[in-house]
Amino acid sequence: MKHFLRMLIQVCLYFYCKFLWRCLKFVMRKLTGRCELQRICYNTKPGASRTMKIETSLRDSKSKLLQTSVSVHPDAIEKTIDDIMELKKINPDINPQLGISLQACLLQIVGYRNLIADVEKLRRESYDSDNPQHEEMLLKLWKFLKPNTPLESRISKQWCEIGFQGDDPKTDFRGMGLLGLYNLQYFAERDAAAAQQVLSDSLHPKCRDITKEEISKFSKAEWEKKRMDKAIGYSFAIVGINITDLAYNLLVSGALKTHFYNIAPEAPTLSHFQQTFCYLMHEFHKFWIEEDPLDIMEFNRVREKFRKRIIKQLQNPDMALCPHFAASEGLINM
């Protein structure tokens, strides 16, 4: 009974707030002579703040035209804007900037939805060793990461040197499909120096400095073991696939809207996603070193702490994950 009453109160509050909001919008239009879309475009600076407000306004509108405008085909955006201007009785000659601002916002909104579809398609496509394109990408990954070391054979224990678990990497791509390979190859090719440095660090971990408090807790044998713990050792490729999973979930949840709406002047693309992966990979490596974990068994704890840190940053509407490496030179900060 208590659960039912709680649900009833929540439903009543929802409709009450919705009614108040519509009344407020009506009053604001009468007072300013502008619809909500106009007020957002004229009073909010370009970027995530404006685009996310426009997206919410369109999605929550009682007009079917406005509701569906966030999912139109990119080629239909101009006509959709004309229809919106006509519906709202806005003269484009008197308000030329409104159409331009709405177009920029819709390109980002529609582009983000399409990007999710493109990324999902790659994630669902399994690695196929009989597909020459898949095999070529995998061999390129080796060449970019180990340019001075020839791969002796396609099935080889050498793959462990770049962080795969066995002698055939195809089994490691099952979780993220081709998306993991696409991201790893992009990082290794577009930001070769950083990728090779991260790989080198993961293969040649430092010895930990043991504090006096720790020394007092361990025997001499345990102290020696702790002192030699591989504080930054991890499997590069496996971690890359794991960070791909993090980037994918940030994208699908909508958390990356802040970043993309601030750095992509039009529609965010797969390249923007891959550049973001490079940034996350680079930042996770630094974060791993800062956390100085005892061993790889702490990976999940460090990853979760890193995920929360990124999400907190993305909650700032002015936030752009400002990449500072070669892979992101094409990014444009609005």
Side-chain angles (χ1 to χ4, degrees), residues 2-184:
K2 288 182 179 180
H3 179 70
F4 173 76
L5 288 174
R6 191 182 300 115
M7 288 289 292
L8 183 62
I9 291 171
Q10 289 176 345
V11 170
C12 290
L13 282 173
Y14 169 77
F15 284 107
Y16 179 68
C17 292
K18 197 169 184 179
F19 174 75
L20 282 180
W21 177 243
R22 293 199 184 281
C23 289
L24 181 61
K25 286 172 64 176
F26 177 78
V27 171
M28 289 296 292
R29 172 137 198 180
K30 291 298 181 182
L31 290 175
T32 64
R34 294 174 175 175
C35 69
E36 185 178 39
L37 295 177
Q38 287 175 295
R39 295 195 300 273
I40 293 172
C41 288
Y42 293 147
N43 299 330
T44 311
K45 65 181 180 180
S49 294
R50 177 190 288 178
T51 302
M52 292 175 79
K53 286 180 180 179
I54 290 291
E55 186 174 13
T56 300
S57 178
L58 293 172
R59 189 182 61 242
D60 294 346
S61 174
K62 60 182 179 182
S63 166
K64 193 70 175 175
L65 170 64
L66 269 61
Q67 290 175 9
T68 56
S69 64
V70 297
S71 57
V72 298
H73 191 277
D75 295 339
I77 287 178
E78 285 191 30
K79 184 181 182 306
T80 300
I81 291 172
D82 290 340
D83 293 340
I84 291 174
M85 301 279 274
E86 184 179 349
L87 175 68
K88 294 293 184 178
K89 297 181 173 60
I90 300 171
N91 189 332
D93 296 326
I94 299 176
N95 302 273
Q97 187 58 41
L98 179 63
I100 296 172
S101 298
L102 281 177
Q103 183 176 23
C105 290
L106 275 182
L107 281 170
Q108 290 183 319
I109 295 166
V110 172
Y112 192 93
R113 284 173 172 255
N114 291 340
L115 176 58
I116 291 177
D118 292 341
V119 168
E120 184 63 35
K121 183 178 179 182
L122 284 175
R123 190 186 73 86
R124 289 179 177 272
E125 185 174 355
S126 301
Y127 184 91
D128 183 0
S129 56
D130 294 325
N131 187 316
Q133 184 182 2
H134 296 186
E135 288 287 287
E136 183 182 2
M137 288 180 64
L138 182 60
L139 294 175
K140 279 184 177 180
L141 175 63
W142 174 270
K143 290 178 182 177
F144 291 138
L145 290 174
K146 307 278 282 186
N148 300 318
T149 306
L151 184 66
E152 296 174 1
S153 64
R154 167 61 181 79
I155 306 297
S156 169
K157 287 293 182 183
Q158 281 182 287
W159 289 112
C160 296
E161 295 177 22
I162 61 172
F164 287 104
Q165 296 183 102
D167 56 9
D168 190 353
K170 72 175 185 180
T171 58
D172 292 327
F173 292 118
R174 283 177 293 196
M176 282 285 108
L178 274 189
L179 185 62
L181 178 56
Y182 265 76
N183 280 349
L184 283 169

Side-chain angles (χ1 to χ4, degrees), residues 136-323:
E136 183 182 2
M137 288 180 64
L138 182 60
L139 294 175
K140 279 184 177 180
L141 175 63
W142 174 270
K143 290 178 182 177
F144 291 138
L145 290 174
K146 307 278 282 186
N148 300 318
T149 306
L151 184 66
E152 296 174 1
S153 64
R154 167 61 181 79
I155 306 297
S156 169
K157 287 293 182 183
Q158 281 182 287
W159 289 112
C160 296
E161 295 177 22
I162 61 172
F164 287 104
Q165 296 183 102
D167 56 9
D168 190 353
K170 72 175 185 180
T171 58
D172 292 327
F173 292 118
R174 283 177 293 196
M176 282 285 108
L178 274 189
L179 185 62
L181 178 56
Y182 265 76
N183 280 349
L184 283 169
Q185 188 199 321
Y186 189 95
F187 185 33
E189 179 180 8
R190 298 300 182 93
D191 198 11
Q196 289 173 26
Q197 183 61 57
V198 171
L199 173 62
S200 177
D201 289 345
S202 72
L203 291 170
H204 303 93
K206 65 180 181 179
C207 295
R208 294 184 66 245
D209 292 326
I210 304 299
T211 64
K212 291 181 179 179
E213 290 77 9
E214 287 180 304
I215 292 175
S216 64
K217 294 179 182 178
F218 305 123
S219 65
K220 185 176 180 180
E222 289 174 326
W223 180 85
E224 284 296 329
K225 180 179 183 300
K226 287 288 179 183
R227 191 178 68 83
M228 297 303 294
D229 271 345
K230 296 182 176 180
I232 60 170
Y234 58 79
S235 299
F236 175 87
I238 295 302
V239 168
I241 294 170
N242 203 286
I243 296 301
T244 292
D245 177 73
L246 171 62
Y248 166 78
N249 283 293
L250 289 173
L251 177 73
V252 173
S253 70
L256 279 177
K257 285 182 179 180
T258 309
H259 169 63
F260 286 139
Y261 291 169
N262 280 326
I263 59 96
E266 294 186 349
T269 64
L270 184 60
S271 291
H272 287 104
F273 179 77
Q274 291 174 310
Q275 289 157 2
T276 304
F277 164 78
C278 293
Y279 172 80
L280 291 173
M281 193 72 178
H282 193 272
E283 290 300 302
F284 178 80
H285 178 65
K286 291 196 300 181
F287 188 75
W288 177 266
I289 295 173
E290 291 168 6
E291 285 293 300
D292 194 20
L294 292 173
D295 53 42
I296 194 62
M297 298 305 292
E298 289 199 74
F299 177 80
N300 288 336
R301 176 191 67 79
V302 176
R303 181 192 183 277
E304 178 61 15
K305 190 173 179 180
F306 178 72
R307 183 189 70 84
K308 290 179 178 178
R309 176 178 171 178
I310 294 296
I311 288 177
K312 186 176 180 179
Q313 291 175 349
L314 291 170
Q315 288 172 348
N316 178 358
D318 295 325
M319 181 63 191
L321 301 174
C322 300

